[in-house]
Amino acid sequence: MDVHTPEQRSFNMSRIRSKNTKPELLVRRLLHHMGYRFRLHRRELPGSPDVVLPRHHVLIYVHGCFWHRHEGCRFATIPSTNTEKWQRKFQENILRDHKNREDAQRLGWRSIVVWECETRNLELLAFRLDAVLRQQTEGDGNACG
Ligand SMILES: [Zn+2]
């Protein structure tokens, strides 16, 4: 169970630097501070997710807003040259992401997409991740410890 008070949590969060760090690293560090155990890049899982939380049966994909087309995001710009080529590339990425999440679901994993821009507000991101991770799967008899 979570032993952190909200005050402790925001203290912990405030110690996480967000400069010059890759989004994946930020997410890992955040989860670590939140007390979650995880593994990295399991190639046998769909799309080689950035973070795997075996106890929660959750996969986390950290997506760049530009390449993975974060809907409505100001970072998901469309280049003005070679536009058609870019659009094709983007479409491929979207389809691949969609398929990975579907495959993950079929294998019994829940998946969370964390957008790059979300790592700019780690407190808000922590709140969202916590909300999903606390939703225990009904009848999940495998969780121990
Ligand atoms: Zn975004």
Side-chain angles (χ1 to χ4, degrees), residues 63-66 69-76 115-118:
H63 280 350
C65 300
F66 178 76
R69 301 281 92 192
H70 188 193
E71 239 180 286
C73 175
R74 67 194 172 99
F75 299 108
W115 294 100
E116 189 179 357
C117 64
E118 288 184 280

Side-chain angles (χ1 to χ4, degrees), residues 12-73:
N12 288 342
M13 296 301 139
S14 67
R15 301 178 69 183
I16 302 170
R17 301 216 179 124
S18 58
K19 267 189 180 166
N20 303 322
T21 317
K22 282 185 171 179
E24 300 96 71
L25 295 179
L26 287 169
V27 172
R28 279 181 222 164
R29 207 181 300 171
L30 183 65
L31 287 165
H32 180 75
H33 278 251
M34 290 163 78
Y36 289 110
R37 303 278 180 87
F38 54 88
R39 298 179 196 162
L40 306 174
H41 301 285
R42 301 303 295 261
R43 299 208 177 278
E44 75 272 21
L45 293 169
S48 185
D50 298 287
V51 179
V52 179
L53 291 112
R55 258 187 70 187
H56 295 80
H57 249 79
V58 165
L59 309 177
I60 299 181
Y61 299 90
V62 183
H63 280 350
C65 300
F66 178 76
W67 285 106
H68 295 268
R69 301 281 92 192
H70 188 193
E71 239 180 286
C73 175

Side-chain angles (χ1 to χ4, degrees), residues 98-111:
H98 186 75
K99 187 183 182 304
N100 286 337
R101 284 201 298 278
E102 271 190 354
D103 289 348
Q105 196 178 21
R106 246 198 306 278
L107 293 167
W109 294 85
R110 288 190 289 157
S111 50

